[in-house]
Amino acid sequence: MKKLLALIVTLAALWSGYWFVGATGLKSGMAAWFDARQSEGWQAEYSDLSVKGFPNRFDTTLTDPALADPATGLAWSAPFVQLFALSYQPNHIIAAFPAFQTLRTPFARLALKSEKMQASMIMEPNTDLAFSRANLAATALTITPEAGGRTHLAGLQTALTREGPASYRAAFNADGLAPPLPAALTAQLPETLTAFRADATVEFTKPWDITALEVGRPQPTAIKLHLAEAEWGPLRLAAAGALSIDRTGNPTGSLTLKARNWRDILALATAAGALPQSLAPQIEQGLSLLAGLSGNPATLDIPLTVSGGYIKIGLIPVAPAPRLSIR
């Protein structure tokens, strides 16, 4: 009995020592990471850093964190962020975000408000911390640019799963998306979209790991779009295809586009400024011919090519191709 008691005491002492060493290392490592970013010219601040959760968890709380990367113009701040990990599985981290956050990009300053936002990351057990799975979920999310025009989502789910050395399956779904379009454009439509989702496999220049923050973001080199679709009342738009992307972010490849009630979609895109008004009549005329060939003038099913910086129907450019790069 005494030997068993001694064994229990010894194991408890060893586990306590492991936890305190781990907690101390975690706290000092995080503080060193912020110091390193400051030495590189970042804004990297917090007012308090604590690690609790003895004996089975490492619960880290950063109070008033603020990060800003001058090289990309990206910045984020919040009243706090919490990171949770089991002490016997420290490579699986759950992050909990506050109700209010601020995100700044080179194009806009965004206020984020949510009822609940959490992220989960499972990382490889090595110093690079390359993640094998990551997801983010939010409920009642409102995104408000400083210039105005609020977007509301009842729910948001994103997921990224590593399938190869630098290949990831990416999925995105937005429930109850209410875009900031003028009421005059949406008078005949429901307030929210019925569906807004995408599923793709993306190849990158390198794995997503800690260097994505410290050095530079991995850049996409190929995208296989399994399906992207949006449905808004009687309107439906879906796309699938494959693109390769060069070092400057210019895509090349082909897509298949399916559109239901495409004339209304075209009118919305023109009124919202997504399509130049000067091109709308020519595009509508060309699409009318294509829709007539399919037998249903209200439905489009057309192949698109992407090359030379343009999206084309056959040899005819219809819109500039977006540059696909991550800042």
Side-chain angles (χ1 to χ4, degrees):
M1 188 66 180
K2 291 182 178 180
K3 291 182 179 180
L4 178 59
L5 181 60
L7 178 61
I8 293 172
V9 171
T10 300
L11 291 175
L14 290 173
W15 184 258
S16 299
Y18 162 77
W19 188 93
F20 283 108
V21 169
T24 302
L26 176 60
K27 187 173 183 178
S28 62
M30 190 163 290
W33 188 88
F34 272 78
D35 291 341
R37 302 290 74 74
Q38 289 180 355
S39 67
E40 294 173 356
W42 286 44
Q43 177 194 8
E45 303 170 348
Y46 57 85
S47 63
D48 186 60
L49 169 61
S50 66
V51 180
K52 300 178 181 179
F54 178 82
N56 293 321
R57 301 193 316 272
F58 294 128
D59 296 346
T60 305
T61 301
L62 281 161
T63 306
D64 300 319
L67 292 170
D69 181 0
T72 62
L74 297 176
W76 168 82
S77 61
F80 68 87
V81 65
Q82 293 178 304
L83 306 174
F84 306 108
L86 295 172
S87 53
Y88 52 85
Q89 196 178 14
N91 63 318
H92 184 185
I93 296 175
I94 295 175
F97 298 92
F100 297 95
Q101 304 173 68
T102 300
L103 179 66
R104 191 179 73 238
T105 77
F107 313 105
R109 181 185 179 93
L110 307 173
L112 308 182
K113 179 184 177 182
S114 60
E115 286 186 1
K116 183 179 182 180
M117 181 182 291
Q118 289 187 336
S120 173
M121 295 171 287
I122 298 179
M123 297 170 290
E124 302 292 341
N126 53 43
T127 56
D128 291 334
L129 299 178
F131 68 77
S132 56
R133 294 200 307 274
N135 62 66
L136 182 144
T139 56
L141 173 63
T142 301
I143 304 171
T144 307
E146 193 172 39
R150 184 177 64 180
T151 298
H152 181 76
L153 301 91
L156 172 68
Q157 305 90 34
T158 64
L160 205 60
T161 302
R162 191 177 187 182
E163 295 187 334
S167 175
Y168 296 84
R169 185 72 175 257
F172 168 90
N173 180 68
D175 296 319
L177 172 62
L181 293 178
L185 298 181
T186 59
Q188 305 302 318
L189 294 169
E191 182 180 354
T192 62
L193 277 74
T194 308
F196 191 72
R197 50 183 170 255
D199 178 21
T201 299
V202 186
E203 297 276 353
F204 290 94
T205 51
K206 64 177 184 176
W208 281 86
D209 55 29
I210 191 63
T211 63
L213 276 178
E214 297 175 345
V215 179
R217 257 58 77 194
Q219 296 300 316
T221 60
I223 299 175
K224 183 177 182 181
L225 182 60
H226 305 291
L227 179 64
E229 62 179 338
E231 192 165 353
W232 197 0
L235 312 182
R236 184 177 184 272
L237 188 66
L243 300 170
S244 60
I245 304 160
D246 66 18
R247 293 182 179 180
T248 62
N250 289 316
T252 301
S254 62
L255 297 168
T256 298
L257 184 68
K258 295 184 178 183
R260 185 178 67 206
N261 294 325
W262 61 271
R263 285 185 177 84
D264 294 330
I265 296 174
L266 190 66
L268 278 174
T270 304
L275 181 68
Q277 195 165 7
S278 59
L279 293 177
Q282 297 94 315
I283 293 175
E284 182 174 1
Q285 185 178 11
L287 294 180
S288 295
L289 293 173
L290 290 171
L293 293 175
S294 69
N296 185 347
T299 302
L300 275 175
D301 189 349
I302 55 175
L304 302 175
T305 57
V306 183
S307 64
Y310 289 93
I311 300 172
K312 305 174 184 178
I313 299 176
L315 298 176
I316 303 173
V318 294
R323 180 162 290 186
L324 303 177
S325 61
I326 302 174
R327 294 186 68 89

